[in-house]
Amino acid sequence: GEAKNLPTYPGPNKMRDCYCTVNLDQEEVFRTKIVEKSLCPFYGEDFYCEIPRTFRHLSFYIFDRDVFRRDSIIGKVAIQKEDLQKYHNRDTWFQLQHVDADSEVQVRLSWQRSIFSSRFIDLFACNFFFSRVLECQGLPIVNGQCDPYATVTLAGPSRQVLHVQESEAKKTKVKKKTNNPHFDEVFYFEVTRPSSYNKKSHFDIEDVDEVDKMEIRVDLWNASNLKFGDEFLGELRLPLQFLRQSSSYEAWYFLQPRDNGNKSLKPDDLGSLRLNVVYTEDHVFSSDYYSPLRDLLLKSADVEPVSASAAHILGEVCREKQEAAIPLVRLFLHYGRIVPFISAIANAEVKRTQDPNTIFRGNSLTSKCIDETMKLAGMHYLQVTLKPIIDEICQVHKPCEIDPVKLKDGENLENNRENLRQYVDRIFTVITKSGVSCPTVMCDIFFSLRESAAKRFQGDLDVRYTAVSSFIFLRFFAPAILSPNLFQLTPHHPDPQTSRTLTLISKTIQTLGSLSKSKSANFKESYMATFYDYFNEQKYADAVKNFLDLISSSGRRDHKSIEQPILLKEGFMIKRAQGRKRFGMKNFKKRWFRLTNHEFTYQKSKGDHPLCSIPIENILAVERLEEESFKMKNMFQVIQPERRVLYIQANNCVEAKDWIDILTKVSQCNKKRLTVYHPSAYLNGHWLCCKATADNTPGCTPCTGGLPANIQLDIDGDRETERIYSLFNLYMPKLEKMQEACGSKSVYDGPEEEEYSTFIIDDPKETYKTLKLIIEGVGTLEQEHAQYKRDKFKKTKYGSQEHPIGDKSFQTYIRQQSEISAHSI
């Protein structure tokens, strides 16, 4: 995305150094790069994550970096969860909203509509009031810690607290280092007439009816040692009239922002932010529910013709082929059927192709499926081949502009050409020598493409190369060079100069890999044609052909025989000392962690010598750690031989899930993996979870289910089948239209009607049979989903921990379900 028309900085240069954060409720999960000296910063960054917990809002904050003080918030965009579908997968400009200092937590993790919950019981509404504050959940972590406490006040009828001599604010104890505090404290209030009492905890009122106009107000605070005072976390107001309806009342509530009456700035004063948000939420049943539809899909490679298969039909009815390709590829990869499926649809497409120069050039289901397969299976192949050079290009910033019109002052055209030539030469060499590292699944697909193309166009000797190069160069290496951030080669979108360099390299590599006979003619720009003369030698064409022969040959050597470290993930986290030294405190320290397919290490900072190295074969389990252990959120544990445990805290919930998943996958095949573990730490002579005193006591909780051993492929087959069901259900009118087309083609042997011409139907009878099975399977799953929603609706309780009072989205849900229930009746 990008921002525009941000307010000017009050200083002399008026420019700002801005970055944007992505937040789930109060928790920051992603931060863009800083765009310096701009009031219209362009970020152009993509962030994808699996959301590991429930949330109410997705928010985006624009910050202005300040070297000497805390970074200041310019404005925010907050989208409620139920509104995300309104903006699904389309560019939208949002006006930045003012961040009010009294209705937000005074830190970066801030939110105007807070998600925090508070529960109260035993409130007796007569002349005596007992308020019992039990607990809160999900309070934000402020400056790395959360030390919450609550104040309870009996407020007057006009929402004005009576004189302090008449009602003091009651305060709970401060709960240290927890964002889920358990207070369980009782506060006493008494309302009397003036002639009876004069204690400070009593209210003096002339009319008892005024009691109904009073309210209990609860404020949540974070105790801070900073000079700015304690941070306000949210408040709750409970009218006594409502509470008097029951002698005892217990419920969960959402805390609300504090209304301080301040006037906010006009949205136009703060600028706007362009976003493209894609949000998908699925309810996934157990595996047996999906058996009929899943089996029908997995048989697609064996159906003759393949155009009559369920998977091919999905590609026909979806508006975009990409919609169908993503879940299909992931499902077939999960069950080991991707090669025969792609071979079948590729062979069918080759038979329909008339010109060898246009083979696999369109956005067909075959092309999209191969693209998605390469992206999933080849991600670490890119890390091995391109990442070192891409990192160098991003860091060194050598001038490589070869367009005479765009040359900067002081730059030399010949020097720039030489810089660019060296980069292209190095990347070309790395790619053409990387054939032995190409993932086996990609090589098997390329072998199938090569054979189909050579058989179809026997008179064209180059088609066996172009069929493969159109994917490996045009759709894999060239896009990865052009946009390295989209392929996880760089964390952020490159700066303009680097982006220009990568564009020139990508164009040249793409042309080198195309093996076209008139390569210079491929360039519209004369300066590119001139530059390409450097590479107009036969050795480059020979190197490409040798590379393509290797990655598309049958019976390749085992890929695993050449083991080289693959960097899987790295970043700063906080770890607790493992106790390797006999003496010394087990304190927490920030360290740079690095995971490869060989070892898991940490050091003081990036590039330093490792302080500790854990071989992958020594990782026996990776599990979450309960917060009660150290009063710290987002912690997990890496369990090693001899009961040694490394406790680590990630930066947020998304990072914690990513680290746990990747560590589990890379160690999945270890022979000595544990089956049970301790979900809490061993402290003060016992395990906090099971209270066992011996530190070598076997675990008390089963380890989480195993994940696929393949590092690249973390796929839930049931979830992908659910996504395919959702697509079939969404495009049900097209399925029915395709049924009509099958009937029309089988009855009338003549020209197709125009409305049916978009479907590929080679065998109407077989296609009709498959369509009937699809519609039946989708209908069965639709009934199961409807029954689940009805059962959930019956069990739903407003004011429960899952649906606290004050949840507007839940009120909308109740209204929708009531309408559905009435319609069903």
Side-chain angles (χ1 to χ4, degrees):
E2 60 180 313
K4 67 178 181 181
N5 301 328
L6 298 180
T8 58
Y9 186 73
N13 60 11
K14 300 185 181 304
M15 294 291 105
R16 293 180 181 270
D17 300 337
C18 297
Y19 61 91
C20 181
T21 66
V22 182
N23 294 57
L24 286 176
D25 296 323
Q26 296 287 319
E27 185 175 15
E28 180 184 321
V29 295
F30 179 72
R31 179 180 297 193
T32 69
K33 64 179 180 181
I34 298 173
V35 178
E36 298 181 342
K37 299 178 181 179
S38 175
L39 298 180
C40 297
F42 176 80
Y43 300 106
E45 300 195 32
D46 291 83
F47 171 64
Y48 167 84
C49 75
E50 294 280 341
I51 301 176
R53 62 172 177 82
T54 58
F55 72 101
R56 294 184 68 215
H57 291 82
L58 180 67
S59 64
F60 304 84
Y61 285 82
I62 299 292
F63 284 87
D64 183 17
R65 181 184 61 175
D66 195 316
V67 178
F68 303 104
R69 296 177 296 176
R70 180 184 296 177
D71 295 350
S72 58
I73 302 175
I74 296 174
K76 69 171 184 180
V77 171
I79 308 174
Q80 293 187 12
K81 179 182 176 181
E82 57 270 21
D83 291 336
L84 287 172
Q85 287 301 322
K86 296 180 183 177
Y87 313 106
H88 180 77
N89 200 22
R90 60 188 179 91
D91 284 352
T92 308
W93 282 98
F94 296 88
Q95 290 291 335
L96 288 172
Q97 301 297 318
H98 181 59
V99 179
D100 184 77
D102 205 25
S103 62
E104 299 252 356
V105 181
Q106 302 305 299
V107 290
R108 289 182 186 164
L109 299 180
S110 54
W111 196 274
Q112 194 166 7
R113 296 178 178 272
S114 27
I115 63 165
F116 325 126
S117 307
S118 187
R119 183 160 56 133
F120 302 87
I121 68 170
D122 299 336
L123 191 58
F124 299 94
C126 55
N127 288 343
F128 300 91
F129 300 92
F130 295 87
S131 176
R132 186 181 182 191
V133 184
L134 284 178
E135 58 181 310
C136 297
Q137 284 198 350
L139 296 175
I141 297 175
V142 181
N143 293 328
Q145 55 92 40
C146 186
D147 299 332
Y149 69 90
T151 60
V152 184
T153 310
L154 186 57
S158 300
R159 291 200 173 190
Q160 299 297 324
V161 179
L162 294 186
H163 195 272
V164 69
Q165 291 184 349
E166 295 177 324
S167 175
E168 287 184 340
K170 316 287 187 177
K171 180 180 176 182
T172 67
K173 295 179 180 177
V174 176
K175 299 296 180 178
K176 295 285 187 179
K177 296 182 180 179
T178 178
N179 65 340
N180 297 320
H182 290 258
F183 296 111
D184 199 8
E185 296 190 35
V186 179
F187 300 101
Y188 164 79
F189 298 92
E190 184 176 349
V191 178
T192 64
R193 293 183 179 275
S195 58
S196 303
Y197 295 89
N198 56 11
K199 297 179 181 179
K200 288 185 178 180
S201 60
H202 298 167
F203 269 87
D204 298 335
I205 58 175
E206 294 295 330
D207 191 345
V208 176
D209 292 337
E210 291 294 311
V211 172
D212 287 344
K213 299 180 181 179
M214 295 180 180
E215 61 185 8
I216 289 286
R217 192 186 74 205
V218 182
D219 296 296
L220 266 292
W221 301 84
N222 178 52
S224 174
N225 294 323
L226 300 176
K227 63 179 180 180
F228 304 107
D230 296 348
E231 288 92 358
F232 173 73
L233 302 180
E235 73 172 11
L236 174 65
R237 295 176 182 269
L238 301 173
L240 296 193
Q241 184 179 12
F242 171 69
L243 298 172
R244 281 164 63 89
Q245 297 172 8
S246 174
S247 60
S248 179
Y249 188 84
E250 175 180 351
W252 285 86
Y253 295 84
F254 277 125
L255 295 182
Q256 302 297 330
R258 181 168 56 187
D259 183 11
N260 62 356
N262 285 349
K263 296 181 180 180
S264 60
L265 295 177
K266 295 180 181 180
D268 293 341
D269 296 338
L270 300 177
S272 53
L273 181 65
R274 181 172 64 86
L275 302 168
N276 188 318
V277 180
V278 178
Y279 175 72
T280 304
E281 181 176 339
D282 298 312
H283 173 79
V284 183
F285 291 115
S286 56
S287 187
D288 54 305
Y289 283 84
Y290 299 105
S291 294
L293 182 59
R294 181 177 60 243
D295 294 343
L296 186 64
L297 289 161
L298 293 177
K299 288 191 297 184
S300 295
D302 304 321
V303 174
E304 286 289 343
V306 72
S307 60
S309 66
H312 194 278
I313 289 172
L314 180 64
E316 289 297 294
V317 298
C318 284
R319 185 179 62 181
E320 302 288 344
K321 302 297 184 186
Q322 186 75 6
E323 282 184 291
I326 292 174
L328 284 175
V329 166
R330 296 175 71 87
L331 179 71
F332 284 111
L333 276 170
H334 182 70
Y335 288 99
R337 299 285 294 163
I338 189 63
V339 175
F341 169 65
I342 288 183
S343 298
I345 61 175
N347 190 51
E349 181 176 333
V350 169
K351 288 180 179 178
R352 292 192 296 269
T353 304
Q354 301 301 318
D355 184 355
N357 294 319
T358 62
I359 192 168
F360 300 127
R361 293 293 181 179
N363 288 323
S364 63
L365 181 64
T366 303
S367 298
K368 293 299 182 183
C369 284
I370 296 176
D371 288 351
E372 188 64 22
T373 303
M374 291 191 299
K375 198 168 185 179
L376 285 170
M379 196 63 71
H380 296 286
Y381 177 37
L382 289 176
Q383 297 276 336
V384 171
T385 52
L386 295 182
K387 185 172 173 56
I389 301 179
I390 296 292
D391 285 344
E392 180 184 330
I393 293 172
C394 293
Q395 293 169 7
V396 177
H397 295 291
K398 282 185 179 180
C400 295
E401 182 57 68
I402 58 173
D403 184 355
V405 178
K406 296 182 179 180
L407 279 181
K408 295 180 181 179
D409 293 339
E411 289 186 352
N412 182 278
L413 183 60
E414 288 303 318
N415 290 342
N416 287 7
R417 282 177 180 165
E418 179 60 21
N419 291 337
L420 184 62
R421 188 196 65 77
Q422 290 180 8
Y423 279 143
V424 171
D425 222 4
R426 288 173 60 190
I427 289 181
F428 177 82
T429 302
V430 167
I431 290 174
T432 52
K433 291 185 179 297
S434 69
V436 293
S437 301
C438 186
T440 302
V441 67
M442 289 173 58
C443 294
D444 291 342
I445 290 172
F446 294 150
F447 173 72
S448 176
L449 298 180
R450 174 184 177 136
E451 293 298 301
S452 294
K455 184 177 180 181
R456 174 72 174 85
F457 301 102
Q458 297 181 13
D460 191 324
L461 299 179
D462 288 333
V463 73
R464 66 182 188 273
Y465 294 118
T466 57
V468 178
S469 66
S470 63
F471 286 104
I472 193 68
F473 281 101
L474 182 65
R475 295 174 177 263
F476 187 62
F477 282 120
I481 296 168
L482 183 65
S483 303
N485 56 305
L486 299 183
F487 292 80
Q488 301 177 17
L489 295 175
T490 59
H492 301 295
H493 185 76
D495 61 78
Q497 179 182 330
T498 304
S499 183
R500 173 64 177 166
T501 299
L502 294 175
T503 299
L504 296 172
I505 295 172
S506 178
K507 282 184 176 183
T508 311
I509 292 295
Q510 181 177 320
T511 306
L512 279 167
S514 67
L515 291 174
S516 59
K517 296 179 176 59
S518 178
K519 295 179 180 177
S520 297
N522 289 344
F523 296 109
K524 297 178 182 178
E525 307 92 344
S526 58
Y527 61 85
M528 284 298 300
T530 303
F531 174 70
Y532 196 81
D533 289 340
Y534 286 119
F535 307 97
N536 209 2
E537 298 180 28
Q538 187 60 36
K539 67 175 184 179
Y540 290 102
D542 293 341
V544 170
K545 288 184 177 181
N546 290 336
F547 170 67
L548 295 175
D549 280 335
L550 181 57
I551 65 172
S552 61
S553 61
S554 179
R556 289 171 68 252
R557 83 289 168 276
D558 184 9
H559 163 62
K560 294 181 179 178
S561 64
I562 300 180
E563 275 287 332
Q564 52 183 318
I566 300 174
L567 178 63
L568 304 178
K569 191 172 177 62
E570 60 182 348
F572 275 114
M573 291 190 291
I574 296 174
K575 66 94 186 176
R576 182 177 185 259
Q578 301 180 74
R580 296 193 304 273
K581 298 179 181 179
R582 185 171 182 180
F583 301 101
M585 295 180 61
K586 294 183 179 180
N587 54 354
F588 290 87
K589 292 183 179 179
K590 188 175 182 180
R591 293 288 182 256
W592 180 266
F593 285 81
R594 193 171 188 269
L595 175 65
T596 70
N597 58 333
H598 287 179
E599 61 183 357
F600 183 46
T601 64
Y602 62 79
Q603 50 253 33
K604 283 189 176 182
S605 58
K606 186 176 181 179
D608 289 351
H609 184 76
L611 299 173
C612 175
S613 174
I614 303 174
I616 295 301
E617 57 268 24
N618 283 355
I619 298 178
L620 306 185
V622 183
E623 300 287 346
R624 293 188 179 276
L625 186 71
E626 292 184 356
E627 185 188 338
E628 66 169 354
S629 298
F630 301 107
K631 307 297 183 185
M632 296 171 68
K633 205 174 180 68
N634 302 320
M635 290 202 69
F636 62 94
Q637 51 184 317
V638 180
I639 306 173
Q640 306 160 62
E642 300 177 359
R643 299 292 172 182
R644 179 178 292 175
V645 183
L646 175 61
Y647 297 117
I648 303 172
Q649 182 188 35
N651 297 319
N652 54 61
C653 62
V654 173
E655 277 288 297
K657 182 181 184 303
D658 288 347
W659 276 106
I660 292 171
D661 286 351
I662 193 69
L663 281 165
T664 301
K665 282 180 284 184
V666 76
S667 62
Q668 191 65 47
C669 294
N670 290 348
K671 296 179 180 180
K672 297 182 180 180
R673 280 188 63 85
L674 299 179
T675 56
V676 291
Y677 78 106
H678 290 285
S680 295
Y682 183 81
L683 297 173
N684 301 323
H686 69 278
W687 293 99
L688 298 181
C689 44
C690 59
K691 309 304 179 186
T693 56
D695 61 354
N696 60 353
T697 302
C700 57
T701 303
C703 290
T704 53
L707 295 170
N710 191 336
I711 296 170
Q712 296 94 345
L713 308 177
D714 178 15
I715 297 171
D716 184 341
D718 295 333
R719 181 174 181 179
E720 301 310 323
T721 311
E722 170 65 26
R723 290 298 309 146
I724 293 171
Y725 149 75
S726 299
L727 289 171
F728 275 135
N729 198 31
L730 176 64
Y731 293 107
M732 183 59 69
K734 281 195 173 183
L735 288 173
E736 295 169 348
K737 186 69 70 177
M738 199 171 182
Q739 270 190 321
E740 295 176 11
C742 290
S744 176
K745 288 196 70 169
S746 59
V747 174
Y748 302 103
D749 187 16
E752 287 185 306
E753 295 185 31
E754 186 176 351
E755 61 178 332
Y756 302 148
S757 61
T758 57
F759 300 122
I760 296 176
I761 302 175
D762 297 321
D763 189 329
K765 291 183 179 180
E766 285 298 320
T767 305
Y768 187 89
K769 289 179 184 178
T770 305
L771 284 165
K772 186 178 179 181
L773 292 173
I774 292 172
I775 293 173
E776 289 175 356
V778 170
T780 302
L781 281 171
E782 189 176 11
Q783 292 176 4
E784 294 291 349
H785 277 284
Q787 185 60 48
Y788 168 79
K789 290 178 180 178
R790 286 193 291 268
D791 294 342
K792 182 180 179 182
F793 178 66
K794 291 176 183 178
K795 297 175 183 178
T796 299
K797 180 183 177 183
Y798 191 44
S800 63
Q801 186 172 353
E802 294 76 17
H803 302 288
I805 294 172
D807 185 359
K808 295 181 180 179
S809 63
F810 175 74
Q811 296 170 4
T812 304
Y813 166 77
I814 289 290
R815 184 172 61 255
Q816 292 173 348
Q817 294 304 314
S818 299
E819 293 171 358
I820 292 172
S821 299
H823 178 72
S824 300
I825 292 170

